[in-house]
Amino acid sequence: MKQLVFATNNAHKLDEVRKILGGKFDILSLREIGCNDDIAETAETFEGNALIKARYIHDKYGCDCFADDSGLEIDALGGAPGVYSARYAGEAHDSEKNMAKVLEQLQGEENRAARFRTAIALILDGKEHLFEGEIKGRIIEERRGAGGFGYDPIFIPDGETRTFAEMSDAQKNGISHRARAVAKLVAFLESWS
């Protein structure tokens, strides 16, 4: 089985990607390769941040790897929180505070269109590849659901009546931005191997 390092220690992301990949690849976390470094995400785009993380791991550990950067973009907020999604309300990566800030900023706003975007950077045999995924939807006025993570309780994908947090992992993983980007990654890996 092909071994790949996923440049993350985010347990939610790791679990989600492992479920999407369905055991086709042996996915290792940063912790599993002994990396506890805090890799600064200093780019202004999801693609840039994903490349920073993948290049860091490839250069330091010499292994095939991939990294992602994801976030929520809200039309009425000019694309914010964007690359600052995880730390929108401060450096603590507090999902509750992040959601509260978004809901406060959207109070009275009719345009609640939003999208989740993911960029994945893969470095395989020294070559870089980029894959993107996106899902459009809207921000609701109050939190709903106990599943998911991040902004999932306030985001309803187009064509749905439930938030991501009201869906099972399998339902969310079948349509999410990350699922779409990972599907492109998997298709590439299967054609490569």
Side-chain angles (χ1 to χ4, degrees):
M1 189 182 292
K2 179 77 178 158
Q3 207 171 64
L4 282 170
V5 174
F6 182 12
T8 189
N9 276 322
N10 181 317
H12 294 294
K13 280 186 182 182
L14 191 61
D15 184 53
E16 192 174 321
V17 166
R18 282 177 171 157
K19 284 178 180 170
I20 293 167
L21 287 171
K24 293 177 185 169
F25 302 92
D26 184 18
I27 305 300
L28 302 175
S29 70
L30 292 178
R31 198 170 286 113
E32 290 170 316
I33 63 165
C35 178
N36 296 305
D37 303 352
D38 186 21
I39 306 167
E41 297 177 27
T42 55
E44 292 295 316
T45 64
F46 298 122
E47 296 82 4
N49 282 330
L51 281 166
I52 286 171
K53 291 184 280 188
R55 287 171 180 161
Y56 182 91
I57 296 307
H58 182 264
D59 292 349
K60 185 168 181 178
Y61 295 91
C63 50
D64 291 331
C65 62
F66 65 97
D68 86 316
D69 195 30
S70 304
L72 177 67
E73 296 176 332
I74 301 170
D75 290 359
L77 301 180
V83 294
Y84 304 104
S85 291
R87 54 194 187 278
Y88 195 47
E91 291 299 318
H93 295 239
D94 186 322
S95 293
E96 288 301 317
K97 286 183 179 172
N98 289 338
M99 281 188 286
K101 183 173 180 178
V102 163
L103 292 174
E104 182 183 322
Q105 289 181 321
L106 288 179
Q107 252 181 347
E109 177 61 55
E110 286 185 31
N111 177 9
R112 302 183 80 84
R115 68 180 171 268
F116 273 116
R117 285 188 53 230
T118 291
I120 295 176
L122 168 70
I123 301 180
L124 190 62
D125 294 338
K127 293 189 176 132
E128 295 179 356
H129 309 274
L130 280 171
F131 309 93
E132 294 180 34
E134 173 182 297
I135 186 161
K136 294 181 179 181
R138 70 184 192 285
I139 303 298
I140 57 173
E141 294 182 5
E142 73 292 321
R143 296 166 181 81
R144 286 189 354 217
F149 62 98
Y151 296 93
D152 287 355
I154 61 171
F155 181 83
I156 295 181
D158 285 350
E160 282 286 338
T161 57
R162 299 166 298 167
T163 66
F164 268 164
E166 293 175 301
M167 296 178 186
S168 69
D169 285 349
Q171 290 166 331
K172 178 190 169 187
N173 291 346
I175 63 171
S176 78
H177 51 301
R178 191 168 292 111
R180 292 172 180 190
V182 170
K184 293 175 185 175
L185 169 70
V186 171
F188 174 83
L189 289 171
E190 287 176 340
S191 71
W192 171 86
S193 54

